[in-house]
Amino acid sequence: MKINVVKSVLDASDALADVNRRRMTEAGITCINVLSAPGSGKTTLLQKSLPMLPEGARTAVLVGDLQTTRDAERLEGVTAQVVQINTGRGCHLSPSQVAKGLDELDLSAIDYLIIENVGNMVCPAAFDLGEHLRAVLLSVPEGDDKVAKYPTLFQKADVILLTKIDLAELLEFNFDRVREDLAHVNTAAPVIRVSSKTGNGLEAWRDWLVAQRKG
Amino acid sequence: MKINVVKSVLDASDALADVNRRRMTEAGITCINVLSAPGSGKTTLLQKSLPMLPEGARTAVLVGDLQTTRDAERLEGVTAQVVQINTGRGCHLSPSQVAKGLDELDLSAIDYLIIENVGNMVCPAAFDLGEHLRAVLLSVPEGDDKVAKYPTLFQKADVILLTKIDLAELLEFNFDRVREDLAHVNTAAPVIRVSSKTGNGLEAWRDWLVAQRKG
């Protein structure tokens, strides 16, 4: 009985995600759901990389956060539209919250819609929000064992960003270990090493974004 | 209606947590629930600090993890008893999982029982497991904005550990910002700065543990 209830909730959730996706596709939007642990550098990555997109590329960001508007404030100036979704005690964004966020945006003026999910390696992975693509960040200070520990998150990634790589040598981060663990869960997603601090790898990430529009 | 269902689940959860707590208290155990984001250094902190406890102090660790037994393996040798609880897709430990974990332990041979929760700053904060005390870790690379963004986690902390402080200067971590944010959510918990790498602060954390037994 309990399992049935959970399943029906997920079905409704997935149905709503499909509606979100159709709505964005019809508006010509490419939507990317960005997931990671807290403090992996999602907001900083967007701050640094959105201005690197080709001239004329129109961006918007939906930011999920428990309480504050800090992330949304940090994104003002680098993107034309920002909507903050406060989830309160909710540990992930839901498709219904994203639907409400879409209501707040001028969808006709967006090429890339980035959804910055709540910082959490577990719950957001289970919820399709209607995105077209998923970007998953793993920051070097979190440790090179995280792919094996949170496989669900990495399984569904369309691109994986290893962030804060400027700290890799100091923290003796083992890139081979990540590669070996990924061989078991996801061999399709490209892995991009970036440092928002030094700028290393940001162009590769920008190029990946551009390629998704051409596809 | 929905709210009622959620409430009754939490009531059952809290009731079971109380049973766990009573069981441990009767056995003379001090139980500490350790919470943090993934990769904040929970396991490493235990590896380094448990051997620093006074001679004769008997420890055990319940380790929550989604999939692997890596953390449990890392703790062998520094504690007499380790039980691994795989939560699968579950984003936090529950009191019923802890109850099963207690069944696996020789409770008569434990002074300190450490529960290493699933790495997650959101969900574990909402679940009383029956612990006597909560330790919350925030690692420097996660950023100095996390107290404001995850207040619930820090609100219920009995001690707060700022970990990986060897990186504070390099990452321009603002300790004052953390202090100011904590002034709004938790002024009672001591804040201990530690680096498991350099050993800095580990004695203060050990002393805090020792003081809880005397209380």
Side-chain angles (χ1 to χ4, degrees):
Chain A
M1 284 289 274
K2 245 188 187 169
I3 288 166
N4 286 341
V5 174
V6 170
K7 182 136 178 49
S8 76
V9 169
L10 272 180
D11 282 348
S13 175
D14 284 343
L16 191 48
D18 280 335
V19 172
N20 289 344
R21 188 158 27 242
R22 218 172 311 132
R23 197 172 161 194
M24 291 191 276
T25 305
E26 282 164 6
I29 295 170
T30 301
C31 176
I32 297 142
N33 186 2
V34 181
L35 302 94
S36 80
S40 298
K42 293 186 290 299
T43 313
T44 306
L45 178 76
L46 297 177
Q47 278 182 308
K48 301 278 180 170
S49 60
L50 292 186
M52 294 169 67
L53 285 168
E55 225 187 304
R58 301 164 306 167
T59 64
V61 185
L62 284 181
V63 189
D65 200 352
L66 271 68
Q67 303 268 354
T68 69
T69 57
R70 292 186 187 195
D71 288 345
E73 287 161 22
R74 287 169 61 196
L75 290 165
E76 283 193 76
V78 301
T79 183
Q81 303 183 63
V82 185
V83 172
Q84 167 89 36
I85 301 171
N86 279 342
T87 61
R89 281 160 186 264
C91 51
H92 60 88
L93 282 173
S94 68
S96 62
Q97 289 166 331
V98 170
K100 280 178 201 153
L102 294 179
D103 293 341
E104 302 293 318
L105 294 167
D106 175 3
L107 299 185
S108 71
I110 301 172
D111 300 312
Y112 294 95
L113 176 62
I114 311 288
I115 301 177
E116 186 183 331
N117 220 312
V118 176
N120 183 333
M121 289 185 110
V122 188
C123 319
F127 286 82
D128 179 8
L129 303 177
E131 69 271 13
H132 300 102
L133 298 155
R134 276 192 188 190
V136 171
L137 274 62
L138 169 62
S139 83
V140 160
E142 291 162 39
D144 47 31
D145 60 343
K146 292 301 172 290
V147 173
K149 295 181 76 169
Y150 300 90
T152 310
L153 178 67
F154 292 93
Q155 244 156 28
K156 297 183 187 168
D158 295 292
V159 62
I160 294 162
L161 291 117
L162 302 179
T163 63
K164 308 192 188 182
I165 53 159
D166 49 293
L167 297 171
E169 203 174 332
L170 182 69
L171 301 179
E172 296 168 21
F173 187 86
N174 188 342
F175 288 102
D176 287 338
R177 186 175 181 186
V178 172
R179 198 169 40 77
E180 284 157 23
D181 287 341
L182 280 175
H184 298 291
V185 299
N186 188 336
T187 52
V191 178
I192 304 175
R193 304 182 186 186
V194 302
S195 164
S196 295
K197 196 168 187 177
T198 66
N200 239 318
L202 288 179
E203 285 175 8
W205 158 240
R206 187 264 322 268
D207 292 347
W208 182 87
L209 286 170
V210 170
Q212 306 317 307
R213 288 290 292 174
K214 289 186 181 146
Chain B
M1 285 292 274
K2 245 186 186 167
I3 289 165
N4 287 340
V5 173
V6 171
K7 181 134 179 53
S8 77
V9 168
L10 273 180
D11 282 349
S13 175
D14 284 343
L16 192 49
D18 279 335
V19 173
N20 288 344
R21 190 161 21 246
R22 216 172 314 132
R23 197 170 160 195
M24 291 189 278
T25 304
E26 283 164 7
I29 295 170
T30 301
C31 176
I32 297 143
N33 187 2
V34 181
L35 302 96
S36 80
S40 299
K42 293 186 290 298
T43 313
T44 307
L45 177 77
L46 297 177
Q47 278 181 307
K48 300 278 179 170
S49 60
L50 292 185
M52 294 169 68
L53 285 168
E55 225 186 306
R58 301 165 304 166
T59 64
V61 185
L62 283 182
V63 189
D65 200 351
L66 270 68
Q67 304 268 353
T68 70
T69 57
R70 292 187 187 195
D71 288 344
E73 286 161 21
R74 287 169 61 197
L75 290 165
E76 284 194 72
V78 301
T79 183
Q81 302 183 65
V82 185
V83 173
Q84 168 89 34
I85 301 171
N86 279 344
T87 60
R89 281 160 186 262
C91 51
H92 60 88
L93 283 174
S94 67
S96 63
Q97 289 167 331
V98 169
K100 278 178 202 153
L102 295 179
D103 292 340
E104 301 293 318
L105 294 167
D106 176 4
L107 300 185
S108 70
I110 302 172
D111 300 311
Y112 295 95
L113 175 62
I114 311 288
I115 302 177
E116 187 183 332
N117 219 311
V118 176
N120 184 333
M121 290 185 108
V122 186
C123 319
F127 286 81
D128 180 8
L129 302 178
E131 69 270 14
H132 299 103
L133 297 155
R134 275 192 191 192
V136 172
L137 274 62
L138 169 62
S139 83
V140 159
E142 291 163 38
D144 47 33
D145 61 343
K146 292 301 173 291
V147 173
K149 295 181 75 171
Y150 301 90
T152 310
L153 179 67
F154 293 93
Q155 244 157 25
K156 297 182 186 166
D158 295 292
V159 61
I160 295 163
L161 290 118
L162 302 180
T163 62
K164 308 191 188 183
I165 54 160
D166 49 292
L167 296 171
E169 203 173 332
L170 182 68
L171 301 179
E172 295 167 23
F173 188 86
N174 188 342
F175 287 103
D176 287 337
R177 187 175 181 186
V178 172
R179 198 169 38 76
E180 284 158 23
D181 287 341
L182 279 174
H184 298 289
V185 299
N186 188 335
T187 52
V191 178
I192 303 176
R193 303 182 187 187
V194 303
S195 164
S196 294
K197 196 169 187 175
T198 67
N200 238 318
L202 288 179
E203 285 175 10
W205 158 239
R206 187 266 322 268
D207 291 346
W208 181 86
L209 286 169
V210 171
Q212 306 317 307
R213 289 289 293 175
K214 288 185 182 149

